[in-house]
Amino acid sequence: MSTPRPDVLIAGAGPTGLVLALWLARAGVRPRVIDKAPDPGLASRAMAVQARTLEFYRQLGIADGAVADGMLMSGARFWDGGRLAALVPLGEIGAGISPFPLVLSYPQDDHERFLLERLREAGVAVEWNTELVGLRQTADRVHARLRAGGTETESDHAYLCGCDGSHSAVRHALGVGFPGAKYDSKFYVADVAGEGWSPGPFVNVSLGRDTFCLGFPVRRPGMVRLLGILPAELADRTDLTYDDVRPIPERLLGLRTTDVNWFSTYHVHHRVAERFRVGRVFLSGDAGHVHSPAGGQGMNTGIGDAVNLAWKLAAVLQGRSAPAVLDSYEAERIRFARTLVASTDRAFGFLVGRGLRGWLIRRVVMPRVLPLAVKVPAVRRAMFGLLSQTRIEYRPGPLSVGGAGRVRAGDRLPWLGEPDNFAPLTSRDWQVHVYGDVGTALREVAARAGVSVERFAWSAGCRRAGFARDAIYLVRPDGHVGFAGRQNTMAGLETYLARWAIRGANSVTEPAPSGVGAARRAERSDP
Ligand SMILES: Cc1cc2nc3c(=O)[nH]c(=O)nc-3n(C[C@H](O)[C@H](O)[C@H](O)COP(=O)(O)OP(=O)(O)OC[C@H]3O[C@@H](n4cnc5c(N)ncnc54)[C@H](O)[C@@H]3O)c2cc1C
C-alpha cells in the first residue's frame, strides 16, 4: 500500500517552519518538511522568547520544557562606558496578563533543537539537504520542484508554506515583491565567555552615539550573547573576526572575554512582502517580514504566523471550516507585520540616531527616566503588552464579529489568572467561553457545531479582565476571540458558525476523512 502524500509541504525548518509543522502534526495533518541546510546548524540568532509564544507552546504542552531549557529574565541593566548606570528590575512585569509574565532568554539553536525533538515525537522528520527550487500551481494542487543529492523531483501537495527565511525561494517563485530597505548600520553577534562579569538574569544594554551593545544571559554558566552595531570604520570589512570587535563590547559592557564560541556580522533590512498568500501558497516568518532585531520580535512574529496558519490549514483540510477561513491569514498577519516593521524601525532610529533626540533617549530616558517609569503599573502593563505580543489583535479581520464588555472579536482572550481560563485552550479547538451563566439555547447551538462550552463563575476578576457577564465568547483554536455577543439571541452566533462552516472536534454529524478522527482523539489526550 502506498503512503498518501502529505497535504502540506513546508519549505524551511527554522522556528517558523518547525512550529507550523508541530501544530499541524498535533492536529492530525502530517506535513512534509524540507530544508536546504545539511542540519539545524549552530547559528543562534534570536534570544528573546516572548510570552505570547510561550502561551502557544502551553497549548501544545511544551512550554514547561522550553522554560526549563532557557532562562527567565528579571530586568534590564544599563551600562555607561563600562560602568553600571542603572538596574531596572522588572519583576513579573506581566503578572495578571499572562501565565508567562517574563521574557525567556533561549538561544535560537537550542530552541530549534527542542522543537525538532518535539516534532520527531509527533512522527515528523525534517528532510535536510533538500532545496525548493521552483513551483507551479494548478486549481487544486501546488507542484514544488525540489533538489536533493543533485537530482530534481516534483512533489505535489494541496498547500505549500514558504518558511524559507528572508531570501525566500518561494517568495521569488511567486514573484511577490519585498519592499523596504537596508539599514546603513551593520550588526555583529557573538557568543562569548566572560571573566569577572556575569550577565545575570538581565538584558544588559549599553547605548552610545551611533552604536549599542546588548548582552543576554545564556543558560551555560559564564556565557553571554552579544549583539551590537559595528562602528563605521569596520563596517565595510569582510574579514572581521571577534578580535577586531572585542574592544567595543568590552568597553561598553565592562566585560573581559576569555573564549569565543561563535561570531558573525550581517546587514539588517526592514521589509514586508506585498502578499502573504498566492493561491495555494503561503509565506510565513522571515519570508514575509524582516526588521531590526532590537526588541526581540522577529522569531516570535514568525511563530505567531505559523500558529495562525496551522489551525486554519488543519481545519480546512479536515473539513471543519470553510476554505475561506484561509483568506483571513494574510489579512490578520500582514497588518501586524506592517505595524511591527514600522515601529521597530522608529525605535531603532531613536536608539542609534544622531542629534539631541538620540542623545536624550540614550543618556537620559533609558538610564534615568525608564527605571522610574516602570514603577508605574500602567507603564509596566503597556511595556509588557507591546513586547510580549499579548496585545496582538485581529479586530478588523474577516473572522472577527462583535464584542461584549471591553473584549472585541479579534482580541487575544484575556487571561483571568484564577481560575485559569487558558487551561481549556490546550484542546486547540473552537470553544465557547461564558463568564457567568450558560442558557439552554447556547448549549444546544454549541452542541450542534460540536463546540465545547467552558463556563467560569462570574467574579470581580472577570470584570477587571474586560469580560461582560453571561456574554458569549467564541474562542478560536489559537486563543483569539472570533465572535462575541449577548446570550439573548443566538442568531449572531449561529450565523457565524454557519458562515465559516465551523465544526468542533466534538462534532458527531459526519465521519471525518480517513485517519483524522483517530488523530483528533489522540490530540485531545495529549498534555
Ligand atoms: C542577530 C539576530 C538576533 C535576533 N534576535 C531575535 C530575538 O531576540 N527575538 C526574535 O524574535 N527574533 C530575533 N531575531 C530574528 C530571528 O532570528 C528570525 O526572525 C527567525 O530566525 C526567523 O525564523 P524563520 O523560521 O522564519 O526563518 P529562518 O530562521 O531564516 O529559517 C529559514 C530556513 O529555511 C531554509 N531554507 C532557505 N531557503 C530554502 C529553500 N529554497 N528550500 C528549503 N529550505 C530553505 C534555511 O536553511 C533555514 O533553515 C534575530 C535575528 C538576528 C539576525
Side-chain angles (χ1 to χ4, degrees):
M1 213 174 75
S2 66
T3 323
R5 267 178 215 283
D7 285 316
V8 180
L9 174 66
I10 298 175
T16 305
L18 292 173
V19 172
L20 177 59
L22 185 58
W23 195 289
L24 282 173
R26 291 291 199 85
V29 175
R30 182 174 298 200
R32 179 174 187 191
V33 189
I34 58 157
D35 197 295
K36 70 176 181 181
D39 53 45
L42 296 171
S44 185
R45 294 169 288 169
M47 291 296 287
V49 179
Q50 306 291 352
R52 189 68 184 121
T53 296
L54 292 171
E55 290 175 358
F56 291 138
Y57 284 6
R58 186 180 181 213
Q59 290 190 259
L60 287 164
I62 64 170
D64 290 347
V67 170
D69 266 9
M71 236 173 129
L72 289 167
M73 289 194 274
S74 62
R77 291 199 301 208
F78 286 90
W79 296 80
D80 186 1
R83 279 188 321 101
L84 186 62
L87 172 66
V88 183
L90 295 176
E92 296 207 332
I93 183 175
I97 301 174
S98 170
F100 303 97
L102 298 168
V103 179
L104 182 73
S105 175
Y106 193 16
Q108 190 172 328
D109 51 344
D110 293 348
H111 188 172
E112 287 178 11
R113 279 181 171 72
F114 170 80
L115 292 171
L116 274 165
E117 190 49 28
R118 304 291 82 77
L119 193 57
R120 194 193 54 75
E121 288 164 2
V124 180
V126 173
E127 297 171 50
W128 300 103
N129 283 314
T130 307
E131 180 177 6
L132 181 141
V133 290
L135 66 93
R136 63 185 177 88
Q137 299 195 58
T138 54
D140 56 357
R141 300 300 276 177
V142 48
H143 307 265
R145 222 169 58 250
L146 309 184
R147 188 185 297 140
T151 309
E152 281 194 15
T153 51
E154 200 170 77
S155 188
D156 68 298
H157 305 267
Y159 297 102
L160 163 65
C161 305
C163 306
D164 49 347
S166 56
H167 300 289
S168 174
V170 174
R171 195 185 61 236
H172 285 294
L174 293 172
V176 169
F178 203 29
K182 185 168 81 172
Y183 287 112
D184 293 336
S185 317
K186 197 169 178 185
F187 286 75
Y188 64 87
V189 58
D191 234 352
V192 304
E195 206 176 64
W197 186 86
S198 159
F202 302 105
V203 190
N204 291 271
V205 186
S206 182
L207 302 167
R209 197 164 67 85
D210 295 339
T211 189
F212 75 78
C213 184
L214 305 179
F216 292 90
V218 182
R219 184 158 272 295
R220 291 179 289 273
M223 293 299 295
V224 54
R225 164 68 45 80
L226 301 172
L227 172 67
I229 292 185
L230 290 172
E233 64 274 17
L234 294 182
D236 292 331
R237 281 193 32 201
T238 51
D239 59 342
L240 282 184
T241 66
Y242 181 73
D243 280 335
D244 298 303
V245 173
R246 174 194 297 265
I248 307 166
E250 293 198 343
R251 175 171 47 81
L252 289 175
L253 293 176
L255 70 102
R256 236 176 13 261
T257 318
T258 52
D259 198 13
V260 185
N261 252 8
W262 179 67
F263 173 75
S264 182
T265 62
Y266 56 93
H267 270 293
V268 174
H269 296 244
H270 49 109
R271 299 177 185 277
V272 181
E274 285 162 341
R275 302 182 59 184
F276 281 10
R277 178 186 186 183
V278 178
R280 298 184 158 269
V281 183
F282 300 86
L283 295 174
S284 305
D286 276 20
H289 43 78
V290 288
H291 51 81
S292 146
Q297 301 290 308
M299 178 190 68
N300 292 278
T301 307
I303 291 171
D305 293 345
V307 171
N308 189 293
L309 182 56
W311 74 260
K312 292 171 185 172
L313 279 174
V316 169
L317 284 165
Q318 293 170 342
R320 294 189 294 104
S321 284
V325 161
L326 288 171
D327 293 336
S328 66
Y329 168 70
E330 175 179 292
E332 293 180 348
R333 295 305 296 180
I334 211 166
R335 171 173 161 264
F336 175 64
R338 286 182 179 142
T339 312
L340 177 70
V341 170
S343 55
T344 49
D345 192 28
R346 258 196 321 273
F348 185 62
F350 286 152
L351 284 182
V352 299
R354 292 165 189 270
L356 182 64
R357 191 173 60 181
W359 182 87
L360 277 173
I361 285 174
R362 287 188 300 268
R363 304 307 293 260
V364 182
V365 176
M366 299 293 271
R368 306 203 198 291
V369 180
L370 193 64
L372 298 176
V374 293
K375 294 190 174 145
V376 180
V379 174
R380 293 166 68 80
R381 289 179 78 84
M383 267 178 68
F384 182 77
L386 191 69
L387 293 174
S388 65
Q389 304 205 340
T390 52
R391 276 230 313 259
I392 291 179
E393 43 77 12
Y394 306 133
R395 289 184 179 185
L399 281 188
S400 305
V401 176
R406 294 196 309 280
V407 180
R408 316 305 304 166
D411 292 354
R412 159 189 165 278
L413 185 77
W415 184 58
L416 272 186
E418 193 53 53
D420 183 359
N421 60 333
F422 277 19
L425 301 183
T426 52
S427 72
R428 302 185 298 284
D429 196 12
W430 287 92
Q431 52 197 269
V432 170
H433 281 214
V434 175
Y435 299 84
D437 294 323
V438 183
T440 318
L442 173 56
R443 286 208 188 276
E444 284 171 4
V445 170
R448 275 202 295 280
V451 171
S452 68
V453 178
E454 308 294 339
R455 180 186 168 274
F456 300 88
W458 180 253
S459 66
C462 298
R463 184 178 293 110
R464 272 198 304 277
F467 292 114
R469 188 170 193 159
D470 300 342
I472 302 167
Y473 297 97
L474 177 65
V475 183
R476 314 176 344 171
D478 59 359
H480 282 261
V481 176
F483 169 88
R486 297 280 172 185
Q487 268 190 70
N488 52 10
T489 161
M490 286 299 119
L493 178 63
E494 286 185 295
T495 306
Y496 186 94
L497 291 167
R499 160 78 183 84
W500 299 107
I502 291 163
R503 285 187 24 218
N506 297 328
S507 167
V508 287
T509 45
E510 285 165 41
S514 62
V516 166
R520 295 297 305 174
R521 282 191 295 280
E523 177 207 29
R524 290 180 67 74
S525 63
D526 58 39

